[in-house]
Amino acid sequence: MKRKKMLAVLLSAGMALGMLAGCGSKPSADTAGQPAADAAGEKDTTGETQNAEGSEGGKESAQAGNVNAEGFPIVNEQITLRVFGQQGPVQAKWDTMGMWKKYQEMTNINLDFTDVLPAEGYDEKKSLMWASNEYPDIFVRAQLNNSEIVKYGSMGILAPLEDLIPVYAPNMQKLIDEDPAILSRITAPDGHIYALPAVFTLTAARDDKFWMNKSWLEQVGKEIPETVDELEEVLRSFKGVDFNGNGEADEYPMGVSDASALIRRFAGVWGYQYQFGTYLEVKDGKVSTYLTDDGFKEELQWLAKMYGEGLIDPEIFTQEYAKYAAKMAGQQMGLFFNQADDTFDSSSFVGIAPFKGKADRQYVESAPAARDNGVFAICADCENKEAAMRWIDYFYGYEGSILMRYGVEGENMYFDEEGKPHYNDGILDSPEGSGTEIGKYTIWPGGGAPQWVNDDNCEAIASEATLKAQEALDPCLPEQIYAAPLLEQEVSDRLSVLWTDLESYMKETTAKLIRGELNFESDWDTYVETMNKIGLEEWVSIYQAAYDVIGE
């Protein structure tokens, strides 16, 4: 996509919507942080922001003059922001968390956590909140889904953020500048941005690695396969060997969690991308699908051949994920796919690249950088929108990301001689589990937090082996990865109906083709015709229209 047009969407002015009454602010708890990245605007000798634009429709709120353009405190006169959010199952109460206490001291902004609710019964309570006409100032880890973002944004309950971001959120703006595809994740059909996502520039957290059992390779005298033909030879050499020495035929040359995952992994080997979280590609501004392509047929034919030779775990069509995880832990597969090595001992495995030989370029299925959309939003009637935007933006910068991920220096973490952050002893190896321990002082365990996860703050989720395995996949990442778009409710409902029917038929037919229950020569044309009749073209057109909102 051309950055110029995309940024025009973000920077457009005059986007005000009618507002509903209700956002309030009560007295509150304590909060925390560390030195921030620069924000736009100039600061006079009193520390007040000058020449700043960026509130709704390019007009500042009455409280904008209280906001410092950069550094801390964020506001000169103390304010309170009322928060609505979900306390995760492994998290302590937010008003006890060290990160919030520290950040409050830094910002001069109090937080009222009265409406931060436990996970049990949360969805029902959130529905009651929407119906009450009494809203918070900000939504933090509130699990706002796409439907809620579009609905309550268009109703004027959520504030448009696109004019605030360039001025009061330089860290988020920088992430967007570096990856404009983030806009496809957060831009509503009306062109507004009503909520922010979590951003994962750590690619190792966004895709499944190709794990090859190097111990098995050594036992059969084979090298790491680099092409599809070499992979075939390796898999055949694995077949029938009792590598575990238990006398049971419980080893599989290749395994995967389920049949759909198998198809997606090898679609990239055949040169296909996986965009918008589904079987789509974006090339030269055109969205298309390959589900009826001849190349996709060739991929399925190869998988059918491998399955017919007994080189693929036959349980991929029926097994629960727990059983697949047990096979990883038990080292029962020569080649398998998983995001990290948290479920198995990776000392016997090596991460390898997708196999060459079937396309000019290989791709790996990867999630977009913008994840968990709806992790932060501002109520339209919040009197301190500028301060709220500066407040959240800290966590999308380097120092704020450390506070979010690691907690407070000296209390929960330390920096080594090279300046790299590390958890204190007893956290990653806590008997309660690292997530529970970290959840005592910060809100990211359990997902859905407003955060930037990068190569320098990932100690809890990415081992050295996982990061090394990612290096083999990096050359196969698409230049841009698009997330599922925000859609009007009517369009979203239609898309759901179409995909339910398309996916059901596609899964059933491809499974039968791989197992040999259908014939490629006599049944493929029927498959293509049926997919088209169900509405494949209309399904693609919905994504094309959504893509066109952002522009090429």
Side-chain angles (χ1 to χ4, degrees), residues 126-334:
K126 182 171 62 168
S127 296
L128 292 173
M129 180 274 299
W130 291 125
S132 71
N133 202 35
E134 293 185 7
Y135 309 112
D137 290 303
I138 56 175
F139 298 83
V140 180
R141 199 186 182 273
Q143 313 289 327
L144 303 184
N145 59 45
N146 284 359
S147 178
E148 290 170 329
I149 293 168
V150 172
K151 178 179 179 179
Y152 297 108
S154 63
M155 288 175 62
I157 296 173
L158 301 179
L161 307 179
E162 64 274 359
D163 294 324
L164 288 165
I165 291 172
V167 180
Y168 296 99
N171 294 317
M172 174 55 72
Q173 183 65 61
K174 182 174 185 290
L175 292 171
I176 291 171
D177 289 344
E178 293 173 348
D179 183 5
I182 290 174
L183 287 179
S184 69
R185 176 61 162 160
I186 63 178
T187 302
D190 61 8
H192 287 301
I193 295 170
Y194 295 113
L196 298 183
V199 178
F200 282 67
T201 54
L202 174 69
T203 53
R206 292 160 41 196
D207 55 37
D208 275 6
K209 317 301 179 290
F210 287 50
W211 296 102
M212 175 66 71
N213 193 316
K214 60 185 180 182
S215 174
W216 288 18
L217 287 174
E218 293 172 359
Q219 292 184 56
V220 298
K222 295 288 186 181
E223 299 293 328
I224 294 173
E226 297 182 357
T227 68
V228 173
D229 289 344
E230 291 173 356
L231 174 62
E232 289 186 24
E233 293 180 11
V234 166
L235 295 179
R236 292 186 182 111
S237 71
F238 286 167
K239 183 181 179 182
V241 180
D242 183 14
F243 290 105
N244 295 335
N246 59 6
E248 299 180 12
D250 59 356
E251 291 100 346
Y252 308 96
M254 178 166 62
V256 68
S257 58
D258 57 82
S260 294
L262 177 70
I263 292 171
R264 297 198 307 272
R265 301 295 168 268
F266 280 91
V269 172
W270 262 256
Y272 293 119
Q273 298 178 24
Y274 195 80
Q275 297 285 9
F276 303 107
T278 191
Y279 302 86
L280 292 168
E281 298 188 289
V282 178
K283 294 181 179 179
D284 300 323
K286 181 176 177 58
V287 179
S288 62
T289 185
Y290 44 88
L291 287 176
T292 54
D293 282 3
D294 288 342
F296 185 63
K297 174 184 177 181
E298 292 173 5
E299 177 204 341
L300 295 175
Q301 287 175 316
W302 183 83
L303 292 174
K305 181 174 73 170
M306 296 297 97
Y307 186 84
E309 292 184 26
L311 305 180
I312 300 175
D313 180 0
E315 294 187 307
I316 62 171
F317 298 101
T318 58
Q319 72 183 349
E320 298 292 332
Y321 184 83
K323 189 166 188 179
Y324 176 59
K327 291 174 181 176
M328 285 189 281
Q331 301 198 16
Q332 294 174 249
M333 298 172 288

Side-chain angles (χ1 to χ4, degrees), residues 44-101:
D44 68 9
T45 54
T46 65
E48 295 184 348
T49 302
Q50 300 294 324
N51 300 325
E53 298 180 44
S55 193
E56 186 187 342
K59 299 179 181 179
E60 294 179 340
S61 73
Q63 304 300 319
N66 187 38
V67 180
N68 293 315
E70 59 185 21
F72 291 108
I74 289 177
V75 293
N76 295 313
E77 296 184 12
Q78 190 174 81
I79 64 171
T80 295
L81 295 176
R82 180 180 170 189
V83 181
F84 186 92
Q86 186 202 85
Q87 175 189 320
V90 299
Q91 296 172 10
K93 290 185 176 181
W94 288 16
D95 59 3
T96 69
M97 288 184 172
M99 65 161 285
W100 289 138
K101 293 180 178 180

Side-chain angles (χ1 to χ4, degrees), residues 81 138 376 378 382 384-393:
L81 295 176
I138 56 175
F376 176 81
I378 302 175
C382 173
N384 296 283
K385 295 184 184 68
E386 296 85 358
M389 183 56 75
R390 269 217 62 203
W391 178 87
I392 196 62
D393 187 58

